Amino acid sequence: MKKILSLLLILSFRVFADTAFDGANKLYESGKYAEAENAYLSLLKSGNKSAEVYYNLGNSYFKDKKLGLAILNYEKALEIAPRDVDIKYNLDFSGSFIKETVIKDTASKVLNTLYYYLTLNELCVILSVCFILLLGVLIYRIYRKDELSYWLRFSLSILFGILFIFSAVRIFENENTKAAIVITASVEAKAAPIENNPASFTIPEGKKVYILNTRRDWVEILLKSENMKGWIKKDTIAEI
Amino acid sequence: MKKLILTIMLLGGLLAADDVNITASIVESSDQIVLEVKVSGSATPALKVPQINDFEVTNGGQSRQSNFSIINGQMSSTATVVHTFILTPKGPGKFTIPSFTAEHKGKIYKSQPLQVEVVSGGTAQQKRGRAPAGTVTATANTGNENLYVQVTVNKNKVYVNEPVVQTFGFYRRINLMGQPQYIPADSTGFWKEELTPQLTYQSNGYEVTELKTALFPSSPGEYTIGKATLNCNVPDRGSSDDFFGSFFGRGKNVRLESKPVNITVMPLPSEGKPQDFSGTVGRFTLSASVDKRDVKTNDAVNLTVTITGLGNIKTITEPKLNISDEFKKYETVTDTKINKENYEVRGSKIFKTVLVPRKAGKLTVPGVSYSYFDYIDKKYKTLTSVPIQLNVAQGPKEETGNYASLPSLPSAEGVKVFGSDIRHIKQSDNFTYAKRPFYKSPFYIIINLLPLLAWLFILFYLKVQKSKQANAAYFKSSRAYGAALKNIKILGKNLKKGKEGETLGKLEQVFAEFIGHKISRQGAGLSVEDIKCVLAEKVKEQKLIDAAVELVEKIHFLRFGPSGKNTADLVKLVEEVKELISKLEKAGL
């Protein structure tokens, strides 16, 4: 009885979400970008944290000339669906509007794509399938040592080793780096979290930064490609 | 203009010493002062010119005279060197010309300083209206009757870039001494083009030399062509009739100046200005031609556009070619030809462009049009050439690599990008939801731990099993010796009690069990051969093995043999077995 009730609840939620999604899409298509933003935001609030909603929200922000927020939402969408070409295209396209010159060579672009080709969860599933298979082969080999099982054990252990290291790196990264996007126009970064310190450099809107430390309403951020550190106000960035 | 009306003339006092004199005197004054410094004596040392700040000093050269005289039978020779300087005052006022000095044999000779008063005024100006009649609209001349210069222009109200011919005329009735020095008028704001050759003719008893220059004003406004200057050396007037004077080349310097001429430059009318007008003024014709009309694709065709006519040829801009994508177009090369005949700047500018047809068929090189301002008709004109038809045959295919290396040409086919935008929103409600990371969920960890635990359990279980078996075997083997001795003791007791019937069988059994325990096997099933094998494996001493085998065979023989068994033999046998077992134990079985 309880199960049926919860199933019904989920179904009704889905129907509700669909109509709200369509409504937001219609607002976007009629050019009411600010209203579409609010509609997508309320969808997210109601629990529909999907790549599609983030992507459409990003589009609305982009059309509304809010570059930082657009990039933020594209990044969020890409994290959920890393192989979606539309999200990738729009992220790259809006990234070209950041007022800076980033020279990214093709090799590093391809590597980056490969590295994030799988979501962390997909990676975990593959790792665990590989692990269970390997153990199955190991148990089999306790009783029977034939040629096939030998080669299976050999290749599965190598595969598992690679996957394990890769997943460990990804998980470590996921746990320890907090990426954020600058959402206000041209943020001034200071050398210390003190209000009347002179600015040491500025960061353009839409730029990806990495949060290192937090102190009250200040965050210490790192610009990876420039290798620069600075303190900025917490409300000028939003975590991905 | 400042004019000098009078100068105080002072004869430079001589500082006579021995035989060198220096005299400085002013011989003529109009706009300038001609200063003569004479150095005379038996020697003429070099003259040292002092710094004269209030005047512009021009060196007018020097002349030399020599005298020989024989007086009372004594011959003496004196020489005189006359240095001429032309001084132009920088402003009115009283000035002092400092002393000139010369050094001879350690002695310094000096002239007296001279006082000069410069007065501004205009009465002394001498004007000459002797300019020849003609198209001259503005003239200016200075000089005296025998000698004057004038600058004329053929028009003084022109459009921007319209040519103006400036003529510098030099009129003289007397012969000159030496080549005159010409300083052209300052003509800032004009593009200059010298017109050659120099013209010389006779007019009204004057010998006239004309130098013509074409001027092209570069921007509208009021302009002044400054004074042109001519410095020349003429025979001294006072001695012009004197045969000897002219013979010995005594002359004076004359500086002739023309009057400045004003020219008004009008901007080009904005009315009727064609769109493609690029500032060219003159009167031109246009022609376009190609070097061949029957070509193959990818062959080069030379398109030559020539603009010929009157005007500033050098500033003609390149006409725009509206060549379609059917041709590959290369950089245009220009060639300028200027002809200055009849004192007009005319000529042609040739634009050569290489075109390469890309496809076969009848292709048209469109007509070239060019706009200019005709200053004679005072209106804009546009020239258009006739389009040229080309018959293009299919030539060898162009390599695509070459084609790709010309990035300036837009591709005719393929996707044309007009503008970029973000991609459209997603409409499908097939949502991909964000998920909590699996690696944190206990379910994921358990799923992975279960097979691991199963494997570990199996491994552990098997190991325990194995070690249990191994322990049992060790236990047996370590106890084998003790058990054997114990059994033998029992056998001995039984023998003493007279129960000898089973002794042989039991003895054999005890021995076999001993061996069997040592190798974790049941002793009962061991044959003599088995025992032999086991012993051979574990015991090194062959003698001991042989003894053991012999004993076993002996017991076996006695047990099943027909011979009688007495107790003493049996006791002896038991002792032998006991001894053998202890030997075997010691030997490492």
Side-chain angles (χ1 to χ4, degrees), chain B residues 164-192:
Chain B
V164 179
V165 179
Q166 176 212 40
T167 310
F168 172 81
F170 174 42
Y171 296 79
R172 62 192 162 100
R173 273 201 300 223
I174 51 169
N175 287 329
L176 292 183
M177 297 174 73
Q179 192 70 23
Q181 183 195 0
Y182 172 53
I183 302 158
D186 168 47
S187 54
T188 313
F190 294 89
W191 180 290
K192 248 169 142 178

Side-chain angles (χ1 to χ4, degrees), chain B residues 108-258:
Chain B
I108 293 170
Y109 301 92
K110 261 187 176 173
S111 72
Q112 289 285 356
L114 294 171
Q115 292 288 331
V116 178
E117 190 184 353
V118 180
V119 184
S120 62
T123 49
Q125 193 181 2
Q126 289 173 304
K127 226 172 183 177
R128 284 290 173 270
R130 281 178 195 267
T135 58
V136 177
T137 55
T139 69
N141 61 353
T142 61
N144 54 34
E145 279 188 47
N146 289 332
L147 214 54
Y148 66 94
V149 292
Q150 68 174 16
V151 167
T152 60
V153 289
N154 63 346
K155 44 196 161 185
N156 56 4
K157 197 161 188 213
V158 292
Y159 284 107
V160 170
N161 244 335
E162 179 179 344
V164 179
V165 179
Q166 176 212 40
T167 310
F168 172 81
F170 174 42
Y171 296 79
R172 62 192 162 100
R173 273 201 300 223
I174 51 169
N175 287 329
L176 292 183
M177 297 174 73
Q179 192 70 23
Q181 183 195 0
Y182 172 53
I183 302 158
D186 168 47
S187 54
T188 313
F190 294 89
W191 180 290
K192 248 169 142 178
E193 199 76 65
E194 298 289 342
L195 299 172
T196 48
Q198 196 169 307
L199 192 67
T200 311
Y201 57 93
Q202 300 279 338
S203 161
N204 287 344
Y206 280 92
E207 176 120 357
V208 185
T209 306
E210 283 187 343
L211 279 170
K212 285 178 190 282
T213 310
L215 300 175
F216 298 94
S218 52
S219 56
E222 295 284 337
Y223 289 93
T224 305
I225 297 173
K227 51 188 181 184
T229 313
L230 193 77
N231 288 322
C232 50
N233 203 0
V234 296
D236 198 334
R237 202 191 312 166
S239 58
S240 64
D241 301 328
D242 178 8
F243 170 78
F244 293 103
S246 57
F247 183 80
F248 284 112
R250 272 205 63 206
K252 58 170 184 172
N253 265 304
V254 177
R255 183 182 161 112
L256 302 168
E257 273 182 0
S258 68

Side-chain angles (χ1 to χ4, degrees), chain B residues 545-583:
Chain B
I545 297 167
D546 290 344
V549 171
E550 198 182 317
L551 191 62
V552 170
E553 276 173 351
K554 192 178 171 187
I555 294 166
H556 208 70
F557 178 75
L558 282 175
R559 188 181 167 191
F560 299 107
S563 61
K565 308 140 192 170
N566 59 49
T567 313
D569 280 352
L570 285 174
V571 170
K572 203 186 165 197
L573 203 61
V574 168
E575 281 304 308
E576 268 178 57
V577 170
K578 195 183 168 186
E579 209 172 310
L580 181 71
I581 285 173
S582 70
K583 268 183 182 165

Side-chain angles (χ1 to χ4, degrees), chain B residues 12-14 20-24 37-39 47 100-102 109-111:
Chain B
L14 340 161
V20 177
N21 295 330
I22 299 184
T23 322
V37 182
K38 283 185 191 170
V39 181
L47 188 72
F100 288 78
T101 52
Y109 301 92
K110 261 187 176 173
S111 72

Side-chain angles (χ1 to χ4, degrees), chain A residues 29 56 63 90 121 124 175, chain B residues 421 423 427 438-439 444:
Chain A
E29 279 169 346
N56 289 5
K63 292 280 184 186
N90 279 8
N121 282 349
C124 285
E175 287 294 306
Chain B
D421 198 0
R423 292 194 182 160
Q427 310 276 12
F438 284 165
Y439 64 86
Y444 178 79

Side-chain angles (χ1 to χ4, degrees), chain B residues 248-306:
Chain B
F248 284 112
R250 272 205 63 206
K252 58 170 184 172
N253 265 304
V254 177
R255 183 182 161 112
L256 302 168
E257 273 182 0
S258 68
K259 274 175 74 182
V261 178
N262 289 323
I263 292 178
T264 307
V265 181
M266 299 177 288
L268 293 173
S270 54
E271 190 186 325
K273 189 182 274 188
Q275 287 244 312
D276 60 339
F277 178 70
S278 58
T280 308
V281 175
R283 179 165 256 194
F284 300 104
T285 56
L286 175 85
S287 69
S289 64
V290 291
D291 58 343
K292 49 193 168 186
R293 281 168 189 268
D294 295 301
V295 287
K296 285 178 178 171
T297 56
N298 302 328
D299 273 3
V301 180
N302 280 310
L303 172 68
T304 309
V305 178
T306 312

